[in-house]
Structure formats: C-alpha cells, structure tokens
Amino acid sequence: MTGSAPPRLLRPRALAPGDLVVIAALSGPLPPAYEPNVERTVAVLERMGFRVRRAPLLEAGRRHWWSAATPAEIAGELNALLCDPEVRAIVASDGGQTALGYLDLIDVEAIRADPKPILGYSDISLLHLVLHARTGLVGFHADMAVPGFGGHWRSAPAARQAELEALYARLLTGTEAIGALPASPSWECWRPGRVEGPLIGGLINRIVLAQATPFALPLERFDGAVLFWEEMGGLASYVWSYLHVMRHSGILDRIAGMVVGVPREIGGLEPGASPTLREIVLDVLGDRDIPVLGNVDFGHAGPNLPMPVGVRVGLDARQRTLALLEPAVGPHEPTKGAPRRTT
C-alpha cells in the first residue's frame, strides 16, 4: 500500500429507528456464564430503538481452541453480515485472539459497497485499523456485548449509563458532529497543547501487530493524527517497548497529539509504583512537543467512550477536552441491496 493514494473517509449510513443490529462473535467464544451479558446488551440496543439479532456463531459454549470458531468460519459469517442489506450495524460480542487469523479473508468490496458500523475494542482494534487502511471505513472503537454493554455498564451509576446510551444513539443515528465527549475527573493533562486531526488508534499491542501485516496503515496516514491507545494485561515494560516500536517506525514523529486510556491489570503500574504510565509515555516521547491527555475512559478499564477511527477530533490537553468535530456516520438512505463495485 506504500505510495498509493489513501482512500477517502468511508462513513457508514446512519441508522434509523427499527434498523437491525447484529451481535456477532468476531473473536473469542461466549462462555455460558456470560450469556446474561448478551441478553442485557440486547435490551440496551433495543432501548436505543434498534432491532437486535444474534449471529449463529454466537452460541454459549461453542469454541475452537481460544476462539468462537475457526478464522475461516468467523470470516464467512462476518462477510455474510456485510453483504446482507438488512443488517445495518455489527456489534462484537467480545475481544480475544482471532482477528489476526482472518484479516485476509474479509470481503472489502462488500464494505465499500455498503459500509456499516462495526463496534468493538481489544482484538477488534485490528479490524478497525486494517479496514480503515484498506477502505477508509470509520471503525467504532466502542463497547461490545460481554465486557461492555452487558458488563461494565452495569457497574456505572445510572446517570452515567443514561449519558452513554444517549451518546451511542447520537453517534450511530446523527449526521451532526457530537462535539465534546463527556469528560471524567480521571482525565489528566500529561503535556499541554491544542491540536486537531484524525483519530487513529486502539489497543496498543494490536496497533503494533496491525503495522506488521501487509494491511498496515501507511506512515503518511499518521501525519497530523491524534493517536489514541490503551492497554490491558502484560507489564509496564511491554507498554514502553510498544511505544518504542512506534518511535522506531516513525509514527511518533508524525502524530500531532496523543490520548491514553485508563490502563487495566498491567504489572508494574500498581498505585505507588515507579515509573507511572505518564512517566513511561513522556520518556519515550522525549522532546516531541505534542499534547498528551491521559487516563481517558475508553478501553478495558470500564465503560467506553466511543472513539471513531478516522474522524477528525479537537484535543486540548490543558483544558482536558476531546471533541468529535465531524459525524461518524453519513446521511440515512433507504435500505437496499447495494451493487458491488469492482476495482
């Protein structure tokens, strides 16, 4: 892809009341104990005004090794959903360790012909980054069924749940820019500054993995971008190493700003430990004078603020604000079978 013209931003069609949203196993399996989480997710999506269906592979107890099914089976089901004109959005059931196995099996022509929101984080970060690189698709780094809508949302105060529900509904149905995302007291200015640029990122280890594939984002796609990332598990030294990979690859020399999510279960980042995540980030950035906003509530640590990949944002680290400056979806059109395009 190096040297090729970047695809234009490809916004999915805005959802309308009554549109069909499908919950699909795009990576890991569904343990029987988490079946109630899926049922709660159905209720959340129905309150937003959508019809909801489960994809066939989302069956409690079904598994292949560490996955819900083989990579080919998951790709086949995903492609069927992408080609089905009735399906208007796809919500991942969970993350896992499978997306890397079927990146080359995805029907990108179906995405170009009829782009749809795909929601998820963790392993689903790979899908967002690769599909954005190949088609320009806006990827919805956002909550999933098991750890998100049906999990972390339950532990949030009722007011926060209502705020998130309204935010997600606006994001999926509205063709106006959201503006400022609702901030939390946890947000910290790690380096001041104000910038605007396209939002690019995901789970940090998946960013590094995506860049090692033939479907990587060309380096010039990071020019002026606001890089967002989070991490779950592993060690603080791993995060330091991933950041250095991005330094060596030239990514950190191209971005205009950085937004860091709340870390979860990372060895060496316990309260009172040294170095802190802030110290690790600033150590690797060195004298690169870009704004950094830390401890933003997206990722594995709790309910996710949606971070639409490719959408232009405004970041003011000193004021601790992050605003979506353009819509993530395009104008609503009647559902119809979209003709295939050829390239």
Side-chain angles (χ1 to χ4, degrees), residues 191-197 226 256-257 289-292 313-319 321 323 325:
R191 181 166 285 170
R194 186 183 184 281
V195 295
E196 295 182 5
V226 174
D289 188 18
I290 62 172
V292 183
V313 298
L315 166 65
D316 189 327
R318 185 184 297 277
Q319 297 299 319
T321 61
L325 302 180

Side-chain angles (χ1 to χ4, degrees), residues 179-233:
L181 292 172
S184 296
S186 67
W187 294 20
E188 297 176 351
C189 175
W190 289 356
R191 181 166 285 170
R194 186 183 184 281
V195 295
E196 295 182 5
L199 196 59
I200 302 291
L203 185 65
I204 191 170
N205 67 69
R206 294 307 194 261
I207 298 172
V208 171
L209 285 174
Q211 292 305 107
T213 73
F215 315 114
L217 279 165
L219 278 180
E220 56 266 24
R221 299 284 291 281
F222 289 93
D223 288 341
V226 174
L227 176 70
F228 75 94
W229 61 269
E230 56 104 7
E231 180 63 315
M232 152 92 178

Side-chain angles (χ1 to χ4, degrees), residues 44-311:
V44 169
L45 294 172
E46 287 179 342
R47 284 200 304 270
M48 293 183 193
F50 309 127
R51 291 181 295 127
V52 186
R53 189 176 74 203
R54 295 168 58 140
L57 291 180
L58 185 56
E59 178 184 343
R62 178 192 178 107
R63 66 185 306 122
H64 171 76
W65 296 351
W66 46 81
S67 306
T70 67
E73 289 172 324
I74 293 176
E77 184 163 275
L78 174 59
N79 289 337
L81 297 174
L82 294 172
C83 292
D84 185 344
E86 185 184 14
V87 176
R88 300 319 314 157
I90 301 165
V91 175
S93 61
D94 208 340
Q97 300 288 338
T98 313
L100 200 65
Y102 64 86
L103 296 179
D104 55 338
L105 303 178
I106 300 172
D107 188 345
V108 293
E109 291 305 317
I111 292 171
R112 293 188 179 112
D114 185 17
K116 306 170 184 183
I118 299 174
L119 280 69
Y121 63 97
S122 194
D123 197 35
I124 312 306
S125 296
L126 278 167
L127 298 185
H128 298 325
L129 291 166
V130 167
L131 296 180
H132 184 67
R134 299 184 73 182
T135 69
L137 182 69
V138 173
F140 290 72
H141 187 280
D143 269 318
M144 303 180 281
V146 171
F149 299 118
H152 290 308
W153 279 38
R154 295 179 63 216
S155 61
R160 182 63 167 174
Q161 292 183 47
E163 183 178 50
L164 288 170
E165 194 170 306
L167 175 62
Y168 273 71
R170 284 183 61 201
L171 187 78
L172 292 170
T173 64
T175 55
E176 301 294 329
I178 293 288
L181 292 172
S184 296
S186 67
W187 294 20
E188 297 176 351
C189 175
W190 289 356
R191 181 166 285 170
R194 186 183 184 281
V195 295
E196 295 182 5
L199 196 59
I200 302 291
L203 185 65
I204 191 170
N205 67 69
R206 294 307 194 261
I207 298 172
V208 171
L209 285 174
Q211 292 305 107
T213 73
F215 315 114
L217 279 165
L219 278 180
E220 56 266 24
R221 299 284 291 281
F222 289 93
D223 288 341
V226 174
L227 176 70
F228 75 94
W229 61 269
E230 56 104 7
E231 180 63 315
M232 152 92 178
L235 301 175
S237 61
Y238 297 175
V239 175
W240 183 83
S241 297
Y242 296 142
L243 288 168
H244 273 293
V245 170
M246 289 194 279
R247 179 181 69 83
H248 289 306
S249 68
I251 290 174
L252 298 187
D253 291 324
R254 293 173 176 264
I255 62 174
M258 181 182 290
V259 181
V260 182
V262 179
R264 183 180 179 191
E265 298 176 9
I266 298 177
L269 292 184
E270 297 81 9
S274 181
T276 63
L277 187 57
R278 176 183 181 275
E279 289 173 327
I280 290 171
V281 170
L282 297 183
D283 176 72
V284 180
L285 282 178
D287 59 1
R288 294 169 179 84
D289 188 18
I290 62 172
V292 183
L293 184 63
N295 280 332
V296 177
D297 36 352
F298 65 87
H300 288 79
N304 269 256
L305 290 176
M307 308 289 278
V309 174
V311 165

